[in-house]
């Protein structure tokens, strides 16, 4: 019994024989030696957990959060949770303060301690933290503090989604920031719920701002996509254009038929038609490539064919080069400058895509033996810039090629151009100025 009395006397007397108490912890905050005494109180396993929690809270008040984290990391697990239980009400009170910095400091401190809690205990901590985040988001404060709101919400997981959806329902909350958070932290079901709310909010607007179009495209999902497609098919030209731009933020293969149909429709507004090519590019893949090549083959407008070619190369990469070049109608007239600007240069762009250079070179080798004179000519013109001395012999084999592109000078045959470019490459002067 005597031994126990001695231990408890030592427990209550540290740091210069001063008793560790709530009153002294507050008093030490304003003294020179106080911080060291408070640190010792937090470290000392013989100090009651409630007072150790108060010591940690005092250190947060003194802007010493990193030191608190360091000490708690070294505390045995069983002791640490007892301290954390005492920290929850302390930091909960801090999160009710009117000063933003005080709220964030308390929230960050409790979140730091959260990592040591068991799953059930983490849920209890989240229930304390999340309301303060709701207040910050509503006020437009989505950054600042030691731990980002995104990080805290991600850790909370599904428990955070209802708060974000609740905020989206409020007509004056800053929805772009909320949508960014939904996209980053919510699962598929959570995103769909949020999208449904966002669509309702957009539908109530007399005029949808650019920020809302962007948010609808970013959040995606069935509800948002259906709303955007509806505005494309039934809205005015301005809304249709913005809705298409919004859809370009994600790859949705189900939208490809609409994109190809409108891109190939001469009756569609020029600007919208161009963005539909952009949507097909974004979706990409074999079906997009083939659909765009069909437009090259069948459209009557030269510039549309060139736009379809550009999109086909973006969608299909090097595999699209030969079939896209061969799709250009031989009966139409072409200018050499256009083949360089619209065809050869788009091939050159592909060589700047990581991992595509070798595939582009192989594709051009096939184009050089194509039955299409335009394909052969475009390949020669592209090699003038991206080729090297190793390509010169292949070009030299075309020296007798009498093929010509309609619209070119009669003397400007594939063979003549191939010989010229072969000589330049052999001499190391291939780059077109």
């Amino acid at each position: 019994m005597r031994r126990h009395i001695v231990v408890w006397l030592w427990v209550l007397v540290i740091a210069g024989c001063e008793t560790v108490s709530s009153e002294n912890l507050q008093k030490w905050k304003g003294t020179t030696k106080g911080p060291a005494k408070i640190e010792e109180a937090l470290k000392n396993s013989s100090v009651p957990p409630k007072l150790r929690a108060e010591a940690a809270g005092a250190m947060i008040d003194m802007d010493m959060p990193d030191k608190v984290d360091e000490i708690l990391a070294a505390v045995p697990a069983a002791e640490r949770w007892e301290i954390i239980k005492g920290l929850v009400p302390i930091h909960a009170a801090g999160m009710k303060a009117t000063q933003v910095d005080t709220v964030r400091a308390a929230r960050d401190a409790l979140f730091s301690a959260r990592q040591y809690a068991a799953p059930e205990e983490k849920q209890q901590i989240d229930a304390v933290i999340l309301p303060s985040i709701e207040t910050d988001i509503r006020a437009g404060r989505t950054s600042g503090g030691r731990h980002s709101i995104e990080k805290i919400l991600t850790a909370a997981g599904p428990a955070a989604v209802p708060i974000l959806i609740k905020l989206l329902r409020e007509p004056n909350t800053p929805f772009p920031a909320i949508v960014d958070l939904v996209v980053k932290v919510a699962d598929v079901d959570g995103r769909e719920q949020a999208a449904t709310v966002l669509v309702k909010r957009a539908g109530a607007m007399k005029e949808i701002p650019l920020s809302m179009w962007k948010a609808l495209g970013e959040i995606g999902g069935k509800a948002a996509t259906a709303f955007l497609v509806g505005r494309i098919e039934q809205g005015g030209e301005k809304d249709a254009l913005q809705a298409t731009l919004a859809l370009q933020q994600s790859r949705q293969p189900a939208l490809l038929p609409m994109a190809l149909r409108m891109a190939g429709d001469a009756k569609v507004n020029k600007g919208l038609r161009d963005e539909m090519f952009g949507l097909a590019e974004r979706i990409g893949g074999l079906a997009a490539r083939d659909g765009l090549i069909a437009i090259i083959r069948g459209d009557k407008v030269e510039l549309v064919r060139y736009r379809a070619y550009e999109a086909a190369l973006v969608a299909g990469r090097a595999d699209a080069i030969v079939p896209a070049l061969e799709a250009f109608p031989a009966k139409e007239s072409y200018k050499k400058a256009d083949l360089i600007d619209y065809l050869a240069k788009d091939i050159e762009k592909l060589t700047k895509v990581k991992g595509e250079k070798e595939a582009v070179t192989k594709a051009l080798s096939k184009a050089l033996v194509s039955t299409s004179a335009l394909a052969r000519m475009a390949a020669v013109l592209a090699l003038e810039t991206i080729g090297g001395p190793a390509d010169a012999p292949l070009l030299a084999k075309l020296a007798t090629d009498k093929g010509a592109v309609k619209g070119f000078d009669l003397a400007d045959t594939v063979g003549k151009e191939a010989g010229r470019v072969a000589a330049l490459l052999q001499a190391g002067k291939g780059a077109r100025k």
Side-chain angles (χ1 to χ4, degrees):
M1 182 70 178
R2 182 187 180 102
R3 181 167 173 260
H4 289 303
I5 292 173
V6 171
V7 169
W8 276 106
L9 285 173
W10 185 79
V11 165
L12 296 174
V13 182
I14 64 169
C17 297
E18 290 187 83
T19 302
V20 177
S21 65
S22 299
E23 293 76 13
N24 279 341
L25 286 170
Q26 293 303 312
K27 182 181 72 175
W28 291 342
K29 286 178 4 180
T31 66
T32 303
K33 295 182 179 180
K37 296 178 182 180
I38 295 172
E39 276 189 47
E40 183 58 33
L42 177 56
K43 291 177 181 177
N44 199 315
S45 61
S46 298
V47 173
K50 181 177 180 297
L51 288 176
R52 295 175 79 180
E54 290 182 22
M59 292 173 68
I60 296 299
D61 292 343
M62 294 186 293
D63 196 22
M64 300 170 64
D66 292 337
K67 194 64 180 178
V68 173
D69 291 350
E70 178 187 325
I71 293 172
L72 285 179
V75 171
E79 294 180 21
R80 188 165 52 213
W81 175 237
E82 291 303 314
I83 296 171
I84 292 172
K85 284 196 292 186
L87 276 173
V88 172
I90 292 172
H91 291 319
M95 281 183 270
K96 293 178 181 178
T98 55
Q99 298 87 359
V100 174
D101 289 345
T102 301
V103 172
R104 284 179 175 169
R107 182 172 68 210
D108 287 342
L110 188 54
F111 184 75
S112 288
R114 179 188 184 277
Q115 64 184 303
Y116 303 115
E120 183 177 339
E121 294 153 352
K122 286 179 178 178
Q123 292 177 11
Q124 297 172 20
I125 291 173
D126 291 340
V128 175
I129 290 176
L130 291 176
S132 75
I133 288 179
E134 179 180 339
T135 301
D136 268 8
I137 295 174
R138 186 177 287 110
R141 298 187 297 265
T142 57
S143 61
R146 288 194 300 142
H147 300 293
S148 69
I149 284 179
E150 178 187 341
K151 180 180 179 181
I152 295 172
L153 291 177
T154 300
V161 176
I163 286 178
L164 295 174
I165 292 175
K166 174 186 174 183
L167 289 167
L168 270 182
R169 287 195 177 100
E170 298 175 6
N172 296 319
T173 50
F175 63 84
I178 300 172
V179 169
D180 284 345
L181 291 169
V182 168
V183 170
K184 291 171 181 174
V185 308
D187 57 15
V188 174
D189 289 342
R191 286 181 66 163
E192 193 60 56
Q193 291 176 46
T196 300
V197 174
L198 191 66
V199 164
K200 185 175 181 180
R201 187 165 170 173
M205 295 176 169
K206 291 183 178 180
E207 183 174 353
I208 300 177
L210 290 176
S211 55
M212 177 58 82
W213 290 117
K214 181 179 182 298
L216 288 164
E218 183 181 6
I219 203 166
K222 295 178 181 178
T225 300
F227 178 84
L228 293 170
V229 170
R231 289 301 175 107
I232 290 170
E233 295 181 337
Q234 301 170 11
E237 289 182 357
K238 182 179 178 181
D239 277 8
L241 183 60
Q242 294 301 331
T244 305
L245 288 168
L247 288 172
Q248 287 180 15
Q249 294 181 75
S250 60
R251 290 186 175 93
Q252 298 187 57
L255 298 175
L256 183 60
M258 178 190 71
L260 292 173
R261 172 175 55 80
M262 297 187 76
D265 189 345
K267 297 178 181 179
V268 172
N269 170 272
K270 182 180 177 181
L272 176 58
R273 194 177 183 186
D274 186 63
E275 293 306 332
M276 284 297 172
F277 278 117
L279 180 57
E281 288 177 359
R282 178 67 176 163
I283 295 169
L286 183 62
R289 183 200 73 176
D290 291 347
L292 292 163
I293 288 173
I295 294 175
I296 299 172
R297 188 177 294 112
D299 204 280
K300 297 179 180 180
V301 180
E302 184 179 25
L303 287 178
V304 172
R305 294 196 295 268
Y306 288 139
R307 180 65 182 94
Y309 168 83
E310 177 186 28
L313 264 58
V314 173
R317 302 285 182 89
D319 288 340
I321 292 175
V322 175
L325 290 174
E326 291 180 342
F328 280 91
K331 65 180 181 180
E332 301 291 345
S333 293
Y334 302 91
K335 297 176 182 177
K336 182 178 179 180
D338 288 344
L339 261 65
I340 292 173
D341 290 339
Y342 294 118
L343 303 186
K345 287 187 178 180
D346 281 342
I347 295 172
E348 293 162 20
K349 288 178 186 177
L350 277 182
T351 63
K352 295 178 174 60
V353 177
K354 187 176 181 180
E356 284 294 307
K357 180 66 182 291
E358 184 177 350
V360 169
T361 301
K362 289 181 179 179
L364 289 178
S365 296
K366 293 179 181 178
L368 289 174
V369 294
S370 169
T371 57
S372 164
L374 182 142
R376 300 198 301 277
M377 182 68 80
V380 169
L381 295 173
L383 284 169
E384 183 176 353
T385 297
I386 65 176
D391 299 301
L394 191 60
L395 288 166
K397 291 181 180 179
L398 294 177
T400 59
D401 190 330
K402 303 297 183 182
V405 176
K406 186 177 179 180
F408 278 35
D409 188 285
L410 291 177
D412 199 1
T413 63
V414 173
K416 180 181 177 182
E417 283 297 307
R420 178 183 66 82
V421 174
L424 290 173
L425 295 180
Q426 191 65 53
K429 301 177 181 179
R432 185 186 297 111
K433 302 298 183 184

